[in-house]
């Protein structure tokens, strides 16, 4: 519900929940490296908290997350003072933000619009930033960012990183003191492998929620042997304290780093114009998933060091750089209802109707919930605050529930007993949790698909009724059930058909001829044509051979409704018929509307054994 529409007690309740959830997350994130929700989700919860606090300032709680910045450093590591603070970056979310960044830079430097401001665009690695100190070319200390001024000494752990030079290669002039900053990361496949290894070792072993947390957790090990066993990598991208720097551009600095023996991201790119920057951004958005490591945007840095020096810093970020974030993929919202969609194959899919939210610039008001088993596993209920993920063009998914935000009096979800389209009973398959409508040929959601199957090549094979023709006759109301196909000629249909544009008397007669030729059909083809869930050609043949004729099969299937009957056991004993298929077949024959269709077809067809 929008903040403005909330009653005071509702707002107070929501603020209480948010304080608890956000504080839990802050602890997990800063101390234990295993957040239960992703950054963008966390951000949307914080945004909701901020909106509530702006509207209801008198309800701000002393334990609100907005009053806390970060978490204290873990006690067991020695503290390291950063002489040059490890600052963060301001964010640009839109192209306009990037353009505004460039104009600010120009304005600050007093440059006119026609002077180009080259920037270096670098992938923003989603890892852990560290600072490495070299004295006379020798690695002496590594530290985490901490609160940007004071971090933790992780020297021994970093010594185990294979990609880190202990001694800088002396191909270049090595500054007496050089702090190299960069990102420690784990690749996506290494992260997955580490988690599967942990999962195999049992529940007590911690699983990481993403590669960044796995990297952070691996660095914060008291025992460096554990870090050594973890697959960690490093990309260098900035400097901290330096004595006598002798590079004029960031690009030159990156070249130097390579010369010293560091890994520098191979995708770094020098851009002269806003257009070039945006083009590079678009190319990386497209390549993002294919990269072996996670990136969450690009960083643009003014190339000339002299300009960087003049631009300097604002409170917590440099004025000479900006992070151009990729569109977020996850956010939180509330499930307002759970409705059901019916597919053309009769499968019922629960759909979450959401309080609308915008993810990555796209407004979202629905998300799939897959099936009832999935809903039960995640325990998703109407009223719940949920995490929604929208990646690329796939249908938005419900990732999980923010349990602490659940309102009172919610009920576990129960699938619909009847189809929302045709009101026939639904059944839930014993395996996989899929619910189906039993309406089949009478259900408007499924009818056209079932009819197409009925006339298809391996079923009745009526070539004159392929795709378009069938669709037209269906739309005109001339064919609504399989029996209508064989009654087409009897009806006053020539008149009706020829009234449809594109049909002449000749083409209508030709169609009738084709249909007439198919009145004689084998029992197994008819069985297959009915489109009984899970009954393919082979099973149709087996059933036909076993029961001999339609009348016997129908009697047996009605008797098999009783799961203790001989008929049920006889059905289960047929090769290929398991419980799932057995249920689907008996349900089909038990439905009155299917019996009606079969009665009609028996009269119109000439069934052969
Ligand atoms: S430059 C003073 N370059 O992003 C500028 N940071 O949101 C220092 N990051 O704390 C940062 N890739 O952990 C820079 N190519 C890159 C980066 C990068 C990832 C991280 C870094 C920083 C955070 C800021």
């Amino acid at each position: 519900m929008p903040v403005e529409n909330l009653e005071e007690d509702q707002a107070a309740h929501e603020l209480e929940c948010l304080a608890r959830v956000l504080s839990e997350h802050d602890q997990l994130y800063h101390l234990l490296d295993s957040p239960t929700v992703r950054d963008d989700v966390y951000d949307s919860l914080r945004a909701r908290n901020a909106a509530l606090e702006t509207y209801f300032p008198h309800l701000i709680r002393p334990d609100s997350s907005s009053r806390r910045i970060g978490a204290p450093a873990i006690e067991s590591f020695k503290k390291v003072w950063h002489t040059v603070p490890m600052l963060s970056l301001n964010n640009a979310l839109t192209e306009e933000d990037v353009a505004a960044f460039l104009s600010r830079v120009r304005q600050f430097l007093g440059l006119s619009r026609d002077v180009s401001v080259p920037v270096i665009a670098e992938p923003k690695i989603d890892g852990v930033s560290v600072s490495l100190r070299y004295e006379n070319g020798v690695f002496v200390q590594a530290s985490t960012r901490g609160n940007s001024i004071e971090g933790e000494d992780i020297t021994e752990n970093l010594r185990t990183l294979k990609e880190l030079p202990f001694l800088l290669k002396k191909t270049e002039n090595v500054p007496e003191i050089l702090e190299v900053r960069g990102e420690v990361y784990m690749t996506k496949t290494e992260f997955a492998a580490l988690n599967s290894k942990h999962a195999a070792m049992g529940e007590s072993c911690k699983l990481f929620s993403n590669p960044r947390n796995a990297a952070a957790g691996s660095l914060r090990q008291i025992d460096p042997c554990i870090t050594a066993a973890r697959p960690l990598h490093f990309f260098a991208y900035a400097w901290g304290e330096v004595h006598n720097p002798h590079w004029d551009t960031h690009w030159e600095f990156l070249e130097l780093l390579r010369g010293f023996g560091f890994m520098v991201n191979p995708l770094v790119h020098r851009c002269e114009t806003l257009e070039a920057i945006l083009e590079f951004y678009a190319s990386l958005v497209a390549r993002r998933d294919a990269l072996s490591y996670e990136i969450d945007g690009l960083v643009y840095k003014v190339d000339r060091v002299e300009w960087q020096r003049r631009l300097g810093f604002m409170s917590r970020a440099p004025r000479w750089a900006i992070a151009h974030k990729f569109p977020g993929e996850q956010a939180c919202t509330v499930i307002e209802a759970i409705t059901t969609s019916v597919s053309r194959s009769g499968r019922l899919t629960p759909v979450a109707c959401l309080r609308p939210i915008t993810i990555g610039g796209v407004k979202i008001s629905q998300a799939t919930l897959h099936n009832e088993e999935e809903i039960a596993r995640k325990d998703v209920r109407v009223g719940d605050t949920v995490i929604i993920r929208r990646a690329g063009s796939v249908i938005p998914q419900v990732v999980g529930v923010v349990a602490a935000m659940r309102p009172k009096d919610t009920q576990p979800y129960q699938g619909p007993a009847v189809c929302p389209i045709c009101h026939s009973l639904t059944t839930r398959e014993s395996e996989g949790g899929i619910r189906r409508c039993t309406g089949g040929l009478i259900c408007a959601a499924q009818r056209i698909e079932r009819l197409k199957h009925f006339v298809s090549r391996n079923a009745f094979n009526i070539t004159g009724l392929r795709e378009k023709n069938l669709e037209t006759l269906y739309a005109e109301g001339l064919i609504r059930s399989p029996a209508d196909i064989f009654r087409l000629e009897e009806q006053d249909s020539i008149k009706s058909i020829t009234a449809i544009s594109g049909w002449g008397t000749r083409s209508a007669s030709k169609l009738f001829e084709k249909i007439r030729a198919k009145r004689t059909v084998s029992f197994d083809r008819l069985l297959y044509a009915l489109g009984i869930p899970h009954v393919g050609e082979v099973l149709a043949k087996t059933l036909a051979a076993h029961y001999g004729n339609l009348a016997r099969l129908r009697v047996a299937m009605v008797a098999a409704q009783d799961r203790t009957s001989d008929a049920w056991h006889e059905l289960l004993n047929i090769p290929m018929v398991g419980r799932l298929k057995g249920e689907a077949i008996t349900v089909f024959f038990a439905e009155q509307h299917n019996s009606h269709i079969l009665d009609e077809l028996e009269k119109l067809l000439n069934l052969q054994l």
Side-chain angles (χ1 to χ4, degrees):
M1 201 186 293
V3 170
E4 315 75 84
N5 299 354
L6 285 177
E7 296 293 333
E8 205 164 292
D9 58 335
Q10 291 173 306
H13 176 69
E14 210 176 324
L15 281 166
E16 184 194 330
C17 293
L18 283 165
R20 198 168 53 240
V21 173
L22 289 169
S23 134
E24 214 168 81
H25 183 273
D26 288 342
Q27 285 295 317
L28 289 169
Y29 183 83
H30 291 285
L31 294 180
L32 304 172
D33 310 311
S34 59
T36 46
V37 295
R38 285 170 34 144
D39 279 11
D40 34 14
V41 174
Y42 172 78
D43 288 346
S44 61
L45 288 174
R46 265 192 91 119
R48 176 78 180 169
N49 196 55
L52 283 162
E53 290 186 344
T54 313
Y55 209 79
F56 299 98
H58 56 291
L59 296 180
I60 298 180
R61 302 168 58 90
D63 61 348
S64 166
S65 172
S66 62
R67 302 216 159 175
R68 202 174 31 237
I69 307 153
I74 201 164
E75 283 309 319
S76 34
F77 289 99
K78 216 176 81 195
K79 302 288 176 292
V80 175
W81 188 261
H82 299 302
T83 43
V84 175
M86 289 182 76
L87 298 176
S88 62
L89 294 166
N90 286 327
N91 290 334
L93 297 172
T94 61
E95 297 188 351
E96 290 72 36
D97 293 345
V98 179
F101 161 72
L102 289 180
S103 352
R104 273 197 310 274
V105 166
R106 273 210 186 84
Q107 200 181 11
F108 199 93
L109 296 172
L111 304 173
S112 64
R113 291 187 58 175
D114 47 308
V115 178
S116 125
V117 177
V119 301
I120 306 303
E122 300 175 358
K124 187 169 184 299
I125 315 296
D126 205 3
V128 182
S129 56
V130 297
S131 185
L132 312 168
R133 189 176 172 89
Y134 289 82
E135 291 179 0
N136 298 311
V138 181
F139 171 65
V140 294
Q141 190 175 55
S143 49
T144 62
R145 177 165 174 259
N147 64 5
S148 93
I149 294 168
E150 190 182 61
E152 296 155 2
D153 186 334
I154 49 164
T155 312
E156 295 317 311
N157 291 348
L158 262 272
R159 270 190 210 290
T160 67
L161 237 89
K162 292 176 199 66
E163 281 170 16
L164 240 168
F166 292 135
L167 283 177
L168 300 184
K169 286 190 197 150
K170 299 268 167 113
T171 47
E172 307 283 346
N173 228 345
V174 178
E176 212 177 300
I177 303 284
L178 172 66
E179 277 178 9
V180 173
R181 291 176 176 175
E183 208 81 355
V184 172
Y185 67 96
M186 199 179 274
T187 66
K188 298 177 201 171
T189 37
E190 287 162 344
F191 153 73
L194 179 67
N195 260 357
S196 355
K197 200 167 99 192
H198 279 192
M201 281 154 69
E203 295 219 345
S204 57
C205 205
K206 193 164 109 176
L207 295 187
F208 294 107
S209 41
N210 57 45
R212 189 203 29 213
N213 300 113
S218 302
L219 283 185
R220 278 226 198 90
Q221 292 290 335
I222 311 289
D223 176 3
C225 294
I226 300 182
T227 311
R230 301 277 170 83
L232 295 171
H233 309 269
F234 179 76
F235 278 131
Y237 54 65
W239 66 88
E241 186 182 343
V242 198
H243 288 194
N244 305 320
H246 55 272
W247 48 90
D248 293 325
T249 62
H250 184 68
W251 190 256
E252 246 179 78
F253 169 69
L254 295 178
E255 284 298 321
L256 253 166
L257 288 176
R258 285 199 182 98
F260 286 150
F262 288 100
M263 294 298 293
V264 171
N265 190 288
L267 300 172
V268 293
H269 192 70
R270 192 167 186 274
C271 305
E272 296 268 353
T273 59
L274 174 64
E275 289 68 35
I277 291 176
L278 298 178
E279 200 178 302
F280 185 61
Y281 177 83
S283 77
L284 272 197
V285 169
R287 290 171 67 179
R288 177 187 188 180
D289 288 344
L291 293 179
S292 62
Y293 45 87
E294 288 202 341
I295 63 175
D296 57 347
L298 292 184
V299 183
Y300 307 136
K301 300 173 179 175
V302 170
D303 195 22
R304 278 172 62 170
V305 175
E306 172 54 16
W307 282 353
Q308 287 189 6
R309 194 193 56 73
R310 278 172 55 196
L311 285 158
F313 296 83
M314 283 167 291
S315 61
R316 54 178 274 279
R319 225 180 252 114
W320 46 266
I322 198 151
H324 191 184
K325 302 283 285 244
F326 288 148
E329 292 180 315
Q330 296 194 4
C332 274
T333 190
V334 173
I335 296 197
E336 290 177 336
I338 297 179
T339 57
T340 308
S341 80
V342 186
S343 78
R344 300 208 282 187
S345 66
R347 186 183 164 146
L348 268 57
T349 305
V351 178
C353 300
L354 309 169
R355 178 202 290 160
I357 36 155
T358 304
I359 305 183
V362 177
K363 192 166 170 195
I364 285 163
S365 53
Q366 284 197 332
T368 177
L369 286 163
H370 299 288
N371 58 51
E372 288 163 48
E373 219 167 59
E374 180 100 349
I375 297 185
R377 196 168 56 73
K378 294 178 180 159
D379 190 16
V380 179
R381 303 181 184 192
V382 172
D384 272 342
T385 295
V386 285
I387 300 163
I388 304 295
R389 176 180 161 80
R390 187 197 73 95
S393 53
V394 291
I395 308 166
Q397 320 265 318
V398 174
V399 177
V401 172
V402 183
M405 300 282 292
R406 171 167 290 166
K408 287 186 209 106
D409 306 327
T410 59
Q411 298 297 323
Y413 173 75
Q414 278 204 317
V418 294
C419 169
I421 306 284
C422 70
H423 309 291
S424 300
L425 287 179
T426 65
T427 52
R428 190 169 162 202
E429 290 178 354
S430 48
E431 294 159 32
I434 294 172
R435 189 175 286 273
R436 286 183 188 280
C437 161
T438 57
L441 285 155
I442 66 147
C443 178
Q446 305 171 60
R447 212 154 30 191
I448 182 76
E449 232 24 56
R450 293 289 184 105
L451 285 169
K452 280 184 191 169
H453 172 78
F454 191 85
V455 300
S456 67
R457 196 147 76 95
N458 296 340
F460 272 77
N461 193 22
I462 305 177
T463 48
L465 276 184
R466 285 291 142 76
E467 295 287 321
K468 250 191 106 40
N469 284 351
L470 181 64
E471 271 168 23
T472 319
L473 295 172
Y474 179 83
E476 293 290 332
L478 291 173
I479 296 180
R480 283 293 158 114
S481 82
D484 289 343
I485 296 173
F486 300 100
R487 280 196 296 250
L488 206 55
E489 197 175 354
E490 299 163 20
Q491 300 171 29
D492 169 32
S493 298
I494 291 244
K495 221 161 71 207
S496 322
I497 290 183
T498 49
I500 305 170
S501 82
W503 285 80
T505 324
R506 260 171 68 107
S507 49
S509 318
K510 255 188 171 165
L511 173 64
F512 296 151
E513 208 173 295
K514 282 184 178 159
I515 293 175
R516 237 179 283 134
K518 301 293 176 177
R519 275 180 191 261
T520 303
V521 72
S522 63
F523 178 28
D524 63 287
R525 257 189 197 257
L526 169 67
L527 263 186
Y528 172 67
L530 293 173
I532 305 168
H534 302 291
V535 178
E537 279 177 275
V538 180
L539 185 52
K541 276 195 169 58
T542 315
L543 290 171
H546 186 91
Y547 291 97
N549 62 49
L550 182 58
R552 260 206 75 206
L553 174 70
R554 289 180 69 179
V555 170
M557 291 308 100
V558 172
Q561 297 301 301
D562 173 1
R563 301 293 191 239
T564 60
S565 65
D566 289 348
W568 172 244
H569 290 113
E570 183 185 343
L571 178 63
L572 286 198
N573 278 333
I574 297 173
M576 294 176 23
V577 182
R579 223 191 139 72
L580 180 76
K581 291 178 183 169
E583 280 169 1
I585 300 164
T586 50
V587 163
F588 179 89
F589 284 95
E591 283 286 332
Q592 221 190 334
H593 53 79
N594 288 335
S595 288
H596 178 66
I597 287 167
L598 287 170
D599 290 344
E600 285 190 310
L601 285 174
E602 272 187 310
K603 278 184 221 143
L604 291 161
L605 298 175
N606 175 18
L607 264 177
Q608 288 197 326
L609 297 184

